[in-house]
Amino acid sequence: MTVIVITVIITALIFDFTNGFHDTANAMATSIATEALRPKVAVILAGVLNFVGAFLSVEVAKTISGGLVDDTKITPVVIFGGLIGAILWNLLTWLLGIPSSSSHALFGGLIGATWVAAGAGAIQFTTVVSKVVLPLVLSPIVAGVIGLAATYFAYRITARGDDAVVKKGFKVSQIVSASMVALAHGTNDAQKTMGIITLTLITVGSLPAGSGPPFWVVFSCALAIALGTSLGGWRIIQTMGKRISEIQSPQGFAAEASSAAVILTSAHLGFALSTTQVCTGSIFGAGAGRRLASVQWSVAGRMALAWLMTLPAAAIVGAIAAWVAGSGTVGTVVVAVGGVAIAGGIFALNRRNAVTSHNVNDVPAPVPATAGATA
Amino acid sequence: MHIAWDSLLIVCAVSFAAAVAVVVFVSLALVALSGGATITADGASTGASTASTAGKTVAGLCFGAAGLIVLYGLYIIVR
């Protein structure tokens, strides 16, 4: 195995790790916010379920880019550049506490790297629209509407119920719904990295064409995403659990049930949607379902901006990384060292105002408006 | 550019039905369990422990229905 292939494998596993802690919030933010689960218990549960989920479905994609770029132009250098773009965007948005799609970051990185290596003609722009732009717009709206409806029904039906019974019942139910989302995430996201590593090995002839992922690839990807998930992306958990709206247990349950339903249905019908965008939309919908005016719509604006920037930003970094790494082994080393340095800087910035399991819920409740209440 | 609008509509409809159904069933179950709850002298709720037999039966059926939907979801994950 060449240096670049080993570098790609290590970088892919690092991406998988960042994917893990970036997406912990999707499953567990509401359960932590409502104290249905203690923070560390929640992230460990999510880690275990991601690990299990990764083994449940090892049918990886037949192409690295999902049709976004001409796969005949993808080389290990292109993959490496794309992964660097995706990792750095994941780390930046984590530092800013913004949930964003790791899948779109990877697509963006690959697009940028492929553009540098093979020109714009290798990019399938119509597929970018249908597989990235359209889901980006539609998935949070669909999930938000469903979350809103589910929350409305939850409050209307339980209005005459005993508060203590209802609250406890929804907290227990949240654990089930959150676990479903975590399991679904493990079956979907670890496969991206399995596919990248497997297809890289096929490209360099280490595996025959059409091979499935070897066990060591499955295990290492499962472990990487599980470890990342268990670390807990506390900044993003805080944003999704506390900064969108003051979430109560009925809302948390409705949001996670909506997310699980949309994610599983779309996966079943072959319609790829971002787990992050779906879960974020569900939480906004659940917030609006109880009281429209208590939702921090300014947070939605920041997220939307970050989502729109994900593809181009990761593409730019991916392009730069691929251009430098394409010069040879020295270039690859320069990019790797540079990536580690930037990542180290981001982690150092995080430590200045760290969000941990101890203070993740320490956010002042958004001030609700006195008018415009619903449900 | 081909967009599978029919698949998208199916995703919307099925997701809506599944999510709302689960939430409705769980909500009904919790209301059924609340049926016999009373407030004791110290302000605590007796909660589900005193729910009537009928209430517990209804709750069981509702939780069961929600559970079936969840199990089907697990089946989709595992398949």
Side-chain angles (χ1 to χ4, degrees):
Chain A
M1 250 187 245
T2 61
V3 168
I4 185 63
V5 171
I6 294 171
T7 305
V8 165
I9 292 171
I10 294 172
T11 311
L13 292 173
I14 293 172
F15 168 74
D16 209 26
F17 180 82
T18 65
N19 190 7
F21 75 70
H22 209 273
D23 289 0
T24 315
N26 296 342
M28 294 297 168
T30 55
S31 299
I32 292 170
T34 61
E35 299 179 356
L37 285 167
R38 280 177 288 151
K40 284 204 170 173
V41 171
V43 299
I44 290 172
L45 175 64
V48 168
L49 289 169
N50 269 271
F51 184 80
V52 171
F55 284 94
L56 292 179
S57 171
V58 294
E59 191 174 322
V60 301
K62 296 293 185 282
T63 63
I64 287 179
S65 70
L68 292 171
V69 303
D70 181 355
D71 278 315
T72 62
K73 310 292 185 195
I74 294 184
T75 63
V77 169
V78 167
I79 297 170
F80 174 61
L83 287 168
I84 292 291
I87 289 169
L88 293 182
W89 181 251
N90 266 359
L91 290 177
L92 179 62
T93 48
W94 162 73
L95 181 67
L96 297 173
I98 299 176
S100 69
S101 172
S102 299
S103 302
H104 289 185
L106 182 60
F107 291 155
L110 284 174
I111 286 170
T114 304
W115 197 318
V116 161
I123 315 298
Q124 311 295 336
F125 289 102
T126 52
T127 310
V128 172
V129 172
S130 64
K131 284 204 167 184
V132 177
V133 179
L134 199 62
L136 185 153
V137 173
L138 292 177
S139 57
I141 294 173
V142 169
V145 168
I146 297 173
L148 189 152
T151 300
Y152 174 79
F153 283 114
Y155 278 102
R156 278 300 292 256
I157 293 172
T158 59
R160 293 201 181 99
D162 179 79
D163 273 352
V165 172
V166 165
K167 194 173 175 182
K168 185 176 178 184
F170 275 127
K171 281 190 176 182
V172 172
S173 303
Q174 268 190 273
I175 298 172
V176 175
S177 58
S179 298
M180 290 283 287
V181 175
L183 192 66
H185 183 265
T187 64
N188 279 332
D189 283 47
Q191 278 63 32
K192 285 199 295 282
T193 308
M194 288 182 207
I196 286 171
I197 296 175
T198 304
L199 289 164
T200 300
L201 293 172
I202 291 173
T203 303
V204 299
S206 297
L207 284 176
S211 298
F215 179 76
W216 67 267
V217 171
V218 175
F219 184 83
S220 57
C221 292
L223 189 63
I225 201 167
L227 286 174
T229 305
S230 300
L231 201 68
W234 300 111
R235 289 178 171 275
I236 300 176
I237 290 172
Q238 188 177 72
T239 299
M240 291 179 78
K242 288 293 188 180
R243 295 190 187 276
I244 292 175
S245 182
E246 188 64 23
I247 297 287
Q248 297 178 346
S249 52
Q251 292 167 286
F253 174 61
E256 295 296 336
S258 305
S259 300
V262 173
I263 291 165
L264 293 176
T265 308
S266 62
H268 186 54
L269 294 174
F271 212 105
L273 299 178
S274 161
T275 309
T276 299
Q277 290 163 1
V278 166
C279 292
T280 305
S282 294
I283 294 173
F284 272 103
R290 179 169 75 98
R291 189 182 295 170
L292 186 69
S294 75
V295 176
Q296 300 298 304
W297 296 107
S298 58
V299 176
R302 286 179 62 216
M303 287 183 189
L305 190 62
W307 293 353
L308 287 171
M309 287 175 61
T310 295
L311 204 75
I316 289 170
V317 178
I320 295 171
W323 181 66
V324 175
S327 61
T329 302
V330 171
T332 303
V333 172
V334 166
V335 171
V337 170
V340 169
I342 295 172
I346 291 174
F347 279 111
L349 283 172
N350 167 63
R351 290 183 67 138
R352 285 187 183 183
N353 191 17
V355 179
T356 66
S357 60
H358 302 293
N359 65 359
V360 65
N361 282 335
D362 295 344
V363 173
V367 177
T370 53
T374 62
Chain B
M1 177 174 66
H2 170 69
I3 297 172
W5 292 110
D6 51 345
S7 294
L8 177 60
L9 278 172
I10 294 172
V11 167
C12 294
V14 172
S15 306
F16 185 94
V20 170
V22 166
V23 171
V24 166
F25 281 130
V26 170
S27 302
L28 288 171
L30 294 176
V31 171
L33 282 177
S34 304
T38 55
I39 305 299
T40 60
D42 60 359
S45 167
T46 58
S49 60
T50 58
S52 65
T53 304
K56 286 180 183 175
T57 303
V58 170
L61 288 171
C62 289
F63 277 131
L68 282 175
I69 299 173
V70 170
L71 280 175
Y72 186 68
L74 279 172
Y75 167 71
I76 291 176
I77 291 174
V78 173
R79 203 182 69 156

